[in-house]
C-alpha cells in the first residue's frame, strides 16, 4: 500500500490493544476522526510508533476542576485540557464550582464554547443548586437540554435531606445522574484534615470519617426511595466503600469513584504542615487507603477520577488551616494507578484502564468515549508505555498551578501519544498546538 492511498491518515503501529473486549496485538489506522482499520502491517501517511505500548480507549476524567470562569490565575480550560491530554485523557468532565458557578444554560454554553478550542473533549457537569448554595434547585432541565448528564454541587455536598430528595426525583425524570460530594458540614466545619492520631499531634482540627459516611448513608437511602442514579465522588473511607458494596449488592443503580491521592497518600503526609497535602475529603489512614485499593480492585469503586484541583502557589503557601484544599492529578493518575494498584498486586493494567476509561465514560454517558478499538468508532485513544519509570517533579506540568503532592515519587507508565477525535494531540510526550 502506498501513502497516497491514505491521505491525512495516521497509523498507530505495533502496540497491544486493550479495551473492554480484552487484549490483542494490532495496528490501528485512523482517518476522518474515525478508526478505519485494525489489523497487522497497516500503513498510513503518518506513523505513531506504539512498540512496547498499550493502546487503550482514551482516558475519561469524571472530576476535573478547570477553574474557568473566574479563577484563571490557577487554571484555564485550555491549560487544564492540555494537562489532561498529556495524561492520556481524551475527555474531561468539568466541575461546576467556578465563579460564577456552572448553574445555568448560559454558563454551560460559555464553558462548552471555550472547550471547543481545547486539545481534548471538554464536557461539563451542572450544579444541583443555584450558586451551589444548597438552597434552591438549579434549572437542571435547561442544562440537560444542552447535553449535561451529570449534576453536582462538588466542593460541597447538598446538606438538606429534603432538597436532595427533590433533586433526585427531578433527576430521575430527566434521566440524568447526581454526583455527590459527601461531606456533612456540621461535622467538617472548621477542620483541616482527617480526625485521628495525626490531627491530635499536629493540633489541627480533624474531620471524622463519619462526615463523609453519614452523607453516603443518607444518599443510598434516598436513592432507594427515589430510584435516582447516584454517583459518589472521591470516596475516601473504608466505611464508605463497605456501604457502597452493600448498596450495589442490593441492586441500586449507584456508582462511585476514588481519587489517586486516596489510594496513594495518608494523613501522615500532613506532618510538615505543607498545605499541598490539604484536600477534601482529607487524606485518611493507611487502612482507609487499603480499603480504597480493595474497592477499586473488586469493582465496588467503578472509576478512578482525578479531582484535579489547581490552586496558585501563593494560596497553597498559606497556613495549613487557611489554605484551599485540592491537588493536581491529570498528569499523574495513570502512572500512580499502575504503580500503586498493578505493581501492588491488586489489579491488572487492563483493570486500571477500565477504571480510567470505559467505566467513567459510561457513568458520564459520553457516547464517543471509552469505546472499543474497532472500525467505525471515534478515534479517541491513549497510547502508554507501561515500562517507563519516571520521577514526578514539582513543575506542575502543563497546569498553571504547581500543587503536586507526589514530588520525588518514582512511578511506572508514561503516556507516549494521545489521539482525540482522530487528531494526534500528544506525540512522543509532547502536546501539539
Ligand atoms: O480538595 C478539593 N478541592 N475537594 C473538592 O471537593 C473541591 C476541590 C477544589 O475545587 O479545589
Amino acid at each position: 500500500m502506498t501513502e497516497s492511498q491514505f491521505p491525512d491518515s495516521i497509523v498507530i503501529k505495533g502496540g497491544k490493544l486493550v479495551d473492554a473486549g480484552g487484549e490483542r496485538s494490532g495496528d490501528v489506522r485512523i482517518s476522518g476522526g474515525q478508526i478505519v482499520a485494525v489489523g497487522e502491517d497497516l500503513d498510513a501517511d503518518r506513523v505513531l510508533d506504539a512498540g512496547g505500548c498499550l493502546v487503550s480507549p482514551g482516558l475519561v476524567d469524571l472530576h476535573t476542576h478547570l477553574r474557568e470562569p473566574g479563577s484563571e490565575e490557577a487554571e484555564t480550560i485550555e491549560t487544564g485540557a492540555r494537562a489532561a491530554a498529556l495524561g492520556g485523557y481524551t475527555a474531561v468532565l468539568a466541575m461546576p464550582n467556578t465563579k460564577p458557578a456552572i448553574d445555568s444554560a448560559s454558563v454551560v454554553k460559555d464553558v462548552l464554547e471555550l472547550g471547543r478550542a481545547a486539545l481534548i473533549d471538554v464536557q461539563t457537569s451542572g450544579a444541583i443548586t443555584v450558586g451551589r448554595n444548597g438552597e434552591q434547585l438549579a434549572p437542571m432541565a435547561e442544562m440537560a437540554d444542552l447535553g449535561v448528564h451529570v449534576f453536582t454541587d462538588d466542593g460541597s455536598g447538598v446538606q438538606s435531606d429534603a432538597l436532595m430528595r427533590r433533586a433526585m426525583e427531578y433527576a430521575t425524570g430527566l434521566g440524568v445522574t447526581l454526583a455527590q460530594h459527601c461531606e456533612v458540614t456540621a461535622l467538617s466545619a472548621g477542620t483541616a484534615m482527617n480526625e485521628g492520631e495525626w490531627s491530635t499531634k499536629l493540633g489541627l482540627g480533624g474531620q471524622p470519617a463519619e462526615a463523609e459516611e453519614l452523607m453516603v448513608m443518607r444518599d443510598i437511602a434516598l436513592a432507594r426511595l427515589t430510584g435516582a442514579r447516584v454517583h459518589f465522588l472521591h470516596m475516601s473511607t473504608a466505611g464508605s466503600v463497605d456501604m457502597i458494596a452493600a448498596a450495589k449488592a442490593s441492586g441500586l443503580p449507584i456508582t462511585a469513584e476514588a481519587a489517586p491521592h486516596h489510594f496513594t497518600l495518608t494523613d501522615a503526609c500532613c506532618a510538615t504542615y505543607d498545605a499541598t497535602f490539604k484536600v477534601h475529603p482529607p487524606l485518611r489512614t493507611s487502612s482507609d487507603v487499603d480499603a480504597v485499593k480493595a474497592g477499586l480492585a473488586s469493582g465496588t469503586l467503578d472509576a478512578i477520577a482525578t479531582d484535579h484541583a489547581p490552586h496558585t502557589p501563593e494560596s497553597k503557601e498559606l497556613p495549613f488551616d487557611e489554605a484551599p484544599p485540592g491537588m493536581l492529578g491529570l498528569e499523574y493518575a495513570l502512572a500512580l494507578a499502575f504503580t500503586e494498584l498493578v505493581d501492588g498486586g491488586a489489579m491488572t493494567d487492563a483493570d486500571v484502564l477500565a477504571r480510567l476509561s470505559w467505566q467513567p465514560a459510561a457513568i458520564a454517558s459520553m457516547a464517543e468515549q471509552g469505546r472499543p478499538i474497532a472500525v467505525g468508532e471515534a478515534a479517541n485513544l491513549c497510547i502508554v508505555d507501561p515500562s517507563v519509570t519516571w520521577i514526578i517533579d514539582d513543575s506542575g506540568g502543563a497546569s498553571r498551578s504547581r500543587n503536586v503532592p507526589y514530588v520525588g515519587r518514582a512511578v511506572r507508565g508514561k503516556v507516549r501519544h494521545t489521539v482525540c477525535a482522530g487528531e494526534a494531540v500528544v506525540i512522543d510526550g509532547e502536546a501539539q498546538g
Side-chain angles (χ1 to χ4, degrees):
M1 290 181 185
T2 62
E3 288 186 359
S4 59
Q5 282 180 273
F6 305 110
D8 302 323
S9 59
I10 299 175
V11 71
I12 298 165
K13 214 162 181 56
K16 180 159 81 169
L17 314 184
V18 185
D19 61 16
E23 300 180 16
R24 62 238 177 254
S25 60
D27 301 341
V28 182
R29 186 191 295 132
I30 294 161
S31 183
Q34 289 196 328
I35 296 172
V36 294
V38 179
E40 299 301 321
D41 299 321
L42 299 181
D43 284 318
D45 290 344
R46 169 161 219 174
V47 174
L48 297 182
D49 175 33
C53 292
L54 305 175
V55 179
S56 156
L59 310 188
V60 173
D61 192 26
L62 288 174
H63 198 143
T64 310
H65 296 277
L66 291 171
R67 302 293 187 228
E68 192 174 4
S71 302
E72 290 83 356
E73 69 285 3
E75 199 74 287
T76 64
I77 290 173
E78 194 266 319
T79 58
R82 183 176 298 266
L86 287 164
Y89 290 88
T90 52
V92 296
L93 186 69
M95 290 293 105
N97 60 337
T98 48
K99 296 172 194 157
I102 306 172
D103 64 355
S104 67
S106 74
V107 188
V108 167
K109 276 186 198 152
D110 289 348
V111 169
L112 295 178
E113 183 57 35
L114 287 164
R116 274 190 265 284
L119 280 185
I120 58 152
D121 185 8
V122 174
Q123 301 201 21
T124 189
S125 59
I128 298 172
T129 68
V130 174
R132 298 175 45 258
N133 64 13
E135 286 166 13
Q136 188 191 338
L137 287 185
M140 286 196 263
E142 68 178 38
M143 292 188 270
D145 281 348
L146 295 171
V148 176
H149 296 294
V150 177
F151 291 85
T152 178
D153 274 3
D154 182 56
S156 319
V158 176
Q159 303 298 310
S160 160
D161 306 340
L163 192 62
M164 196 60 202
R165 175 194 180 167
R166 278 221 302 287
M168 286 197 195
E169 287 167 347
Y170 198 26
T172 309
L174 291 172
V176 298
T177 295
L178 293 183
Q180 187 71 284
H181 169 122
C182 292
E183 179 182 338
V184 173
T185 51
L187 291 175
S188 69
T191 69
M193 65 176 296
N194 181 52
E195 180 175 306
E197 185 192 336
W198 279 101
S199 62
T200 306
K201 268 190 203 154
L202 297 170
L204 290 168
Q207 175 184 144
E210 285 75 5
E212 173 174 308
E213 291 165 2
L214 285 176
M215 197 171 281
V216 173
M217 191 183 294
R218 180 201 70 179
D219 284 356
I220 288 171
L222 292 178
R224 186 170 288 118
L225 177 67
T226 61
R229 274 207 311 268
V230 179
H231 177 69
F232 290 94
L233 299 168
H234 43 44
M235 291 288 89
S236 72
T237 81
S240 295
V241 176
D242 284 348
M243 284 188 282
I244 287 164
K248 282 185 157 186
S250 77
L252 290 181
I254 65 172
T255 53
E257 66 180 41
H261 42 272
H262 287 131
F263 60 75
T264 311
L265 308 172
T266 69
D267 53 357
C269 295
C270 305
T272 60
Y273 296 96
D274 179 350
T276 311
F277 296 98
K278 181 173 178 181
V279 66
H280 285 174
L283 301 177
R284 305 282 189 185
T285 66
S286 56
S287 51
D288 292 308
V289 167
D290 289 345
V292 169
K293 285 182 178 174
L296 284 166
S298 68
T300 295
L301 303 176
D302 307 83
I304 296 167
T306 66
D307 197 4
H308 177 87
H311 290 288
T312 61
E314 305 80 69
S315 67
K316 278 294 197 181
E317 276 157 18
L318 290 167
F320 199 95
D321 49 1
E322 290 169 34
M327 23 186 81
L328 301 187
L330 287 167
E331 293 188 54
Y332 318 111
L334 177 55
L336 289 166
F338 279 161
T339 308
E340 294 297 322
L341 304 172
V342 179
D343 298 352
M347 295 166 75
T348 64
D349 289 345
D351 293 333
V352 161
L353 292 167
R355 310 285 184 280
L356 281 162
S357 174
W358 45 98
Q359 292 182 183
I363 291 167
S365 303
M366 293 187 187
E368 303 224 311
Q369 300 289 338
R371 300 289 304 159
I373 301 173
V375 172
E377 298 288 355
N380 291 311
L381 298 166
C382 162
I383 296 97
V384 56
D385 188 335
S387 69
V388 173
T389 55
W390 53 290
I391 310 281
I392 297 179
D393 66 27
D394 64 358
S395 68
S399 174
R400 281 208 171 162
S401 294
R402 307 173 65 130
N403 46 320
V404 184
Y406 311 107
V407 176
R409 186 177 280 258
V411 288
R412 178 179 70 78
K414 192 92 180 123
V415 172
R416 191 182 293 178
H417 318 296
T418 305
V419 175
C420 185
E423 301 289 329
V425 295
V426 172
I427 299 176
D428 288 324
E430 299 287 333
Q432 309 293 300

